[in-house]
Amino acid sequence: GMKIAIEEEPPAPSLSALREQGGEVSRALAGAADLLTNANSKVNQLQTAVERYALSSFRILQGADDQCFTLARECILLLDHLDIMIQRARELGEPVNSLSDARRRLCTLLETGQIEEIPANAGDVFDGTVHIATSVISSSGPEGVVVEVSRKGYAMKVSGRSDVLVRAAEVTVSAGHAEAKPASGGRT
């Protein structure tokens, strides 16, 4: 898994370090462009898979599920990477236009596949059906409330069915919910 450091103040980098990082961003961007080309070529596959999934009998559901979800998860991971790269580029004062364009195209791609971000915000009541508590902190406020969202969650809209969870949102929850073991999927 990927750990995203939050609120980490890096020391002021030297110019050569900045240049090196700029090069990294450029290389990452070239990688992202390749990934996007792949993603774009996958959109039709994804759309077909989603349609097939919506129409399929429960007998062949698993195969359609796997195909849809594999494609969807790849796209979502790519979106995560782009978000991190955009954030880094902004911190370095690098232009983010191409990254933002790539991100927009990817979002359009996900929308085409009927994959939507699960709304998750600080202050929401923890919901084990769409949230995974990756950490718990003691809080003076009410317990079992989302304090922070560390990774966005996504669901797929399927006509005539309830939304299908592609990835749960990873959240920090206020104490009192620690014993709920949300990752197990069961609700008490």
Side-chain angles (χ1 to χ4, degrees):
M2 247 173 60
K3 287 200 170 64
I4 299 167
I6 294 163
E7 292 172 339
E8 198 177 303
E9 266 310 305
S14 67
L15 201 57
S16 60
L18 270 175
R19 271 202 205 95
E20 205 172 286
Q21 257 184 307
E24 268 175 45
V25 171
S26 306
R27 278 195 296 280
L29 187 52
D34 288 348
L35 281 167
L36 267 174
T37 308
N38 293 341
N40 272 328
S41 71
K42 276 180 184 156
V43 72
N44 293 334
Q45 285 180 47
L46 181 58
Q47 229 179 330
T48 308
V50 169
E51 282 160 15
R52 193 181 305 138
Y53 176 64
L55 297 170
S56 60
S57 69
F58 285 94
R59 217 175 40 250
I60 60 163
L61 211 53
Q62 198 56 51
D65 255 17
D66 292 346
Q67 194 187 2
C68 274
F69 287 3
T70 303
L71 289 166
R73 286 197 185 104
E74 280 174 26
C75 291
I76 289 165
L77 281 173
L78 180 52
L79 192 58
D80 287 345
H81 284 302
L82 279 168
D83 281 341
I84 293 162
M85 282 159 60
I86 287 169
Q87 195 184 333
R88 256 188 223 149
R90 282 209 176 105
E91 284 163 9
L92 296 170
E94 299 262 338
V96 293
N97 300 9
S98 49
L99 285 169
S100 298
D101 287 347
R103 191 188 188 282
R104 251 194 309 280
R105 281 164 64 201
L106 191 58
C107 288
T108 307
L109 189 83
L110 288 168
E111 280 165 30
T112 308
Q114 299 281 293
I115 291 146
E116 294 177 9
E117 194 180 311
I118 295 165
N121 299 290
D124 290 354
V125 174
F126 177 83
D127 176 356
T129 58
V130 293
H131 297 152
I132 289 180
T134 48
S135 57
V136 178
I137 60 165
S138 51
S139 140
S140 53
E143 56 185 43
V145 169
V146 173
V147 179
E148 185 182 37
V149 180
S150 52
R151 202 154 89 138
K152 295 168 181 174
Y154 293 85
M156 188 166 70
K157 304 260 174 218
V158 179
S159 50
R161 300 217 182 126
S162 55
D163 295 0
V164 182
L165 188 69
V166 178
R167 183 172 87 184
E170 293 179 7
V171 299
T172 301
V173 183
S174 56
H177 225 89
E179 67 288 343
K181 293 196 185 71
S184 70
R187 296 193 73 182
T188 46

